Amino acid sequence: MDTDIIVLAAGKGTRMYSSLPKVLHPLAGRPLLSHVLDTAASFSPRSLRVVVGYGAEQVRGALTDFAQDLLWLEQREQLGTGHAVLQGAADLPDNGATLILYGDVPLISADTLRSLLEVMTTASVAVLTQHVDEPYGLGRIIRDGDGNVTGIVEEKDATEAQRRIREINTGIICAQNRNLLDWLGRLDNDNAQGEYYLTDIIGMAARDGEVIETGTVQDPLEAQGINNRLQLAAIERSLQRRQAEALALGGVTVLDPARLDIRGHVECGRDVTLDVNIIIEGTVHIGDRCEIGPNVVLKNCRIGEGCVVLANSHVEGADMESDISVGPFARIRPGTELKKGSKIGNFVETKKSIIGAGSKVNHLSYIGDTEMGRDVNVGAGTITCNYDGANKHRTTVGNGVFIGSNTAIVAPVTLHDGVTIAAGSTITADVPQDQLGVARGRQRNIDGWKRPTGK
């Protein structure tokens, strides 16, 4: 069966108290809407339509890199869900069925939607429902004595008896296109809110004698819409917990699933250990037998097998080979390549640099725009002076170089293989192979020196 999908994303989200459209608020590092669209795209629909309204240009701009073509339609006036779907149904083919989703219901699963679509082989319309203990504010499913659905009534329009019903409408509906187009054209706004309710099509279907089926959400969070920041925070924690549990069930040691945030995608090898308060952003690969310490941020990086990232370190845009130690309190910036067996110690920052195999930058140093060979030892307090105020310059360090503490290397400069740099030097010129580079003022000791005294 050909399937079209309409995602409603026109609301402002008044209760978010934000200038950002509600569907763009981040969940696990991505806009709410992108989660829904990912699930929708997994069905390879004939068309994927997004109805926007408030902040339409901003919403479109945030999804420019989405993998599937999106058909954008605009609801200029907020006149209800039925009116919004009517905008989304523009030029909808008569054949096939349309699934209606919501940009602020991010956790709806493909499995749940698949079960709903399966009943469409015999139904004209199918509704996803849920049984809840506290249905206040939600539309109730109305059934006759034989259990057949006859309609949906909104809270404000419900009788006292109807308000006691515990089966509620999630808002997610699938309908045959030929019926949907007819029902949308017959909607009116004769209700307490003066809006065109999409749910009214269920009553129309019953009166028309059409087959109405239902599907049920087993996990209540799947159908949870987000209307305020407290609900957003609750969904965030739930999603993070699920992601952490999935890693743990896949063989990763997660020391506390409640203190791991994955704001993107992570792949972990075997026997990986993740300590507490780790944040993972973008796309991250962690190889076998890695240990990631507490309070670490990993962003768009690859970490090879047997690596250790110690506490309070930040690794972004880096490529780490195997058996590397980083931190604690290290900052590895984009463009860094750490070769096998290298070491980055505490309070060290690197940027756009290659640190060769077995090389060590142990303490309190900045290495930027540098290509470093193997088995180099960099002393504490070393900096590469790579920026002249207008342009960046490269430093090249050969194999087996020893750089003494408190050294400034003023790029562009090359330290050839086997070079030794005396501590406290400021190096401004190339140092030939196996030579000692010394560049510091001569020490003078003044005899009889008297310290100043206060008046």
Side-chain angles (χ1 to χ4, degrees):
M1 178 178 61
D2 290 326
T3 303
D4 301 283
I5 297 180
I6 298 174
V7 180
L8 303 187
K12 178 179 180 179
T14 302
R15 284 173 282 175
M16 301 297 282
Y17 298 101
S18 173
S19 59
L20 186 70
K22 178 167 67 170
V23 296
L24 294 188
H25 281 262
L27 174 69
R30 297 189 293 131
L32 293 172
L33 179 58
S34 72
H35 291 267
V36 182
L37 292 178
D38 281 348
T39 302
S42 70
F43 290 95
S44 300
R46 177 170 56 185
S47 67
L48 183 45
R49 300 155 177 256
V50 185
V51 180
V52 292
Y54 177 78
E57 289 301 320
Q58 196 173 357
V59 175
R60 280 192 286 261
L63 276 298
T64 53
D65 294 332
F66 191 73
Q68 182 169 326
D69 290 338
L70 301 175
L71 180 60
W72 297 96
L73 301 126
E74 191 163 353
Q75 184 188 26
R76 297 185 183 279
E77 295 182 89
Q78 309 295 297
L79 301 178
T81 53
H83 180 260
V85 173
L86 184 62
Q87 314 313 303
D91 300 322
L92 197 65
D94 289 335
N95 65 310
T98 293
L99 175 64
I100 299 162
L101 304 176
Y102 298 82
D104 61 354
V105 183
L107 297 190
I108 190 67
S109 73
D111 287 343
T112 295
L113 296 179
R114 191 172 294 109
S115 66
L116 188 68
L117 290 172
E118 286 172 356
V119 305
M120 289 303 297
T121 56
T122 58
S124 295
V125 61
V127 185
L128 191 64
T129 74
Q130 184 178 358
H131 290 83
V132 298
D133 294 331
E134 298 294 337
Y136 178 77
L138 302 171
R140 310 303 204 277
I141 302 297
I142 308 301
R143 296 181 182 267
D144 63 19
D146 296 322
N148 299 310
V149 175
T150 60
I152 299 174
V153 62
E154 298 299 326
E155 171 84 21
K156 291 183 180 180
D157 301 301
T159 65
E160 285 300 319
Q162 290 170 336
R163 289 175 182 171
R164 290 193 289 272
I165 296 171
R166 295 293 181 265
E167 185 182 15
I168 59 95
N169 168 44
T170 66
I172 295 173
I173 290 175
C174 189
Q176 299 290 347
N177 286 2
R178 63 180 182 276
N179 300 110
L180 179 64
L181 294 169
D182 173 47
W183 294 329
L184 290 173
R186 291 157 53 189
L187 287 176
D188 62 48
N189 62 349
D190 185 18
N191 52 63
Q193 297 188 81
E195 294 184 351
Y196 296 89
Y197 294 153
L198 175 64
T199 49
D200 285 350
I201 71 172
I202 304 303
M204 293 180 189
R207 290 190 294 273
D208 291 348
E210 299 288 349
V211 177
I212 305 169
E213 296 285 359
T214 59
T216 303
V217 178
Q218 300 300 323
D219 182 347
L221 288 175
E222 277 195 47
Q224 175 67 58
I226 294 174
N227 295 304
N228 57 54
R229 294 180 191 254
L230 184 60
Q231 290 175 333
L232 178 61
I235 292 294
E236 177 78 39
R237 296 308 347 131
S238 173
L239 179 55
Q240 293 300 343
R241 180 81 186 199
R242 291 182 187 186
Q243 294 182 133
E245 290 174 352
L247 285 178
L249 292 172
V252 177
T253 297
V254 181
L255 294 186
D256 186 351
R259 289 188 284 173
L260 171 66
D261 272 32
I262 302 171
R263 302 169 186 173
H265 176 72
V266 60
E267 293 181 355
C268 291
R270 289 180 176 274
D271 300 313
V272 171
T273 299
L274 303 179
D275 212 318
V276 300
N277 299 330
I278 294 171
I279 297 175
I280 295 173
E281 300 181 333
T283 300
V284 173
H285 172 84
I286 303 174
D288 296 346
R289 305 185 311 281
C290 286
E291 298 180 15
I292 311 300
N295 309 313
V296 166
V297 177
L298 304 177
K299 182 175 181 178
N300 292 322
C301 58
R302 189 187 74 86
I303 301 174
E305 62 183 30
C307 292
V308 176
V309 181
L310 297 172
N312 302 294
S313 295
H314 192 294
V315 181
E316 177 182 0
D319 191 296
M320 297 169 54
E321 292 187 355
S322 59
D323 304 312
I324 294 164
S325 177
V326 169
F329 293 97
R331 185 182 182 198
I332 311 301
R333 292 172 58 191
T336 297
E337 297 179 30
L338 303 181
K339 301 301 183 181
K340 182 177 180 177
S342 56
K343 181 179 179 181
I344 302 295
N346 52 289
F347 302 102
V348 171
E349 178 180 353
T350 67
K351 188 268 297 182
K352 291 181 69 174
S353 294
I354 299 172
I355 309 300
S359 293
K360 300 176 181 179
V361 187
N362 278 320
H363 321 283
L364 302 158
S365 296
Y366 170 71
I367 306 296
D369 295 284
T370 296
E371 183 170 350
M372 184 182 297
R374 65 180 182 274
D375 299 320
V376 174
N377 189 91
V378 178
T382 295
I383 62 170
T384 55
C385 308
N386 56 323
Y387 183 52
D388 63 9
N391 300 295
K392 297 291 181 69
H393 300 281
R394 299 286 296 176
T395 295
T396 302
V397 180
N399 299 321
V401 171
F402 181 93
I403 301 174
S405 297
N406 196 33
T407 293
I409 303 172
V410 183
V413 71
T414 298
L415 310 181
H416 290 275
D417 292 353
V419 159
T420 299
I421 302 298
S425 293
T426 298
I427 301 298
T428 58
D430 295 355
V431 182
Q433 183 173 341
D434 297 325
Q435 291 193 8
L436 169 66
V438 183
R440 58 192 182 199
R442 185 179 297 275
Q443 179 175 323
R444 290 192 303 140
N445 297 328
I446 302 173
D447 187 33
W449 169 252
K450 301 296 185 182
R451 291 182 180 176
T453 58
K455 293 181 180 179

